[in-house]
Amino acid sequence: QVQLVESGGGLVQPGGSLRLSCAASGFTLDYYAIGWFRQAPGKEREGVSCISSSDGSTYYADSVKGRFTISRDNAKNTVYLQMNSLKPEDTAFYYCAAVYYLQGSNWFKPDEYDHWGQGTQGTVSS
């Protein structure tokens, strides 16, 4: 059974860091593009970052460039999202998602992804 499980969320002060993990079971992550999305109350789900399966290309939303880093550890079948210099506006429920084939220009579109995790809450507040 294909499953994605996120972890690493929590409460952090502005300027702090969190590292989210997306662990896969039932399939091999390195054959899939993995995206991170977030959704705040009353807002639409938005693409945060993506790492491709083919050449490891990475993509970021403008709002997180320079602060967030996506990476994958194929040996652990896990993708990470390192979030630094966090701001209150980064507060959201964070999801990872997987798709076997992804056109890079569509990385931020939720409908492109086939498999989703249950999400983890990230809260930035003093």
Side-chain angles (χ1 to χ4, degrees), residues 10-47:
L11 173 64
V12 65
Q13 292 186 341
S17 298
L18 286 173
R19 189 176 82 153
L20 305 183
S21 299
C22 173
S25 60
F27 68 105
T28 303
L29 260 185
D30 51 341
Y31 295 133
Y32 287 73
I34 305 299
W36 281 99
F37 291 79
R38 66 186 180 186
Q39 189 165 18
K43 294 188 176 181
E44 292 187 353
R45 190 169 297 190
E46 65 169 341

Side-chain angles (χ1 to χ4, degrees), residues 65-76:
K65 278 181 183 176
R67 301 188 298 122
F68 290 12
T69 303
I70 191 170
S71 62
R72 66 197 310 157
D73 185 335
N74 291 335
K76 295 183 178 180

Side-chain angles (χ1 to χ4, degrees):
Q1 181 180 359
V2 172
Q3 191 173 15
L4 294 170
V5 178
E6 301 94 334
S7 61
L11 173 64
V12 65
Q13 292 186 341
S17 298
L18 286 173
R19 189 176 82 153
L20 305 183
S21 299
C22 173
S25 60
F27 68 105
T28 303
L29 260 185
D30 51 341
Y31 295 133
Y32 287 73
I34 305 299
W36 281 99
F37 291 79
R38 66 186 180 186
Q39 189 165 18
K43 294 188 176 181
E44 292 187 353
R45 190 169 297 190
E46 65 169 341
V48 175
S49 183
C50 173
I51 186 165
S52 73
S53 59
S54 55
D55 59 2
S57 295
T58 56
Y59 306 86
Y60 297 94
D62 288 343
S63 59
V64 306
K65 278 181 183 176
R67 301 188 298 122
F68 290 12
T69 303
I70 191 170
S71 62
R72 66 197 310 157
D73 185 335
N74 291 335
K76 295 183 178 180
N77 219 28
T78 299
V79 169
Y80 303 98
L81 184 68
Q82 178 68 43
M83 307 189 297
N84 298 330
S85 302
L86 284 163
K87 306 174 182 180
E89 51 264 42
D90 294 316
T91 295
F93 215 70
Y94 284 78
Y95 301 87
C96 65
V99 61
Y100 186 75
Y101 173 76
L102 177 69
Q103 184 172 341
S105 58
N106 292 334
W107 73 268
F108 57 94
K109 298 179 179 178
D111 289 347
E112 294 290 319
Y113 295 79
D114 298 322
H115 309 288
W116 289 82
Q118 83 291 347
T120 186
Q121 176 69 40
T123 302
V124 185
S125 175
S126 55

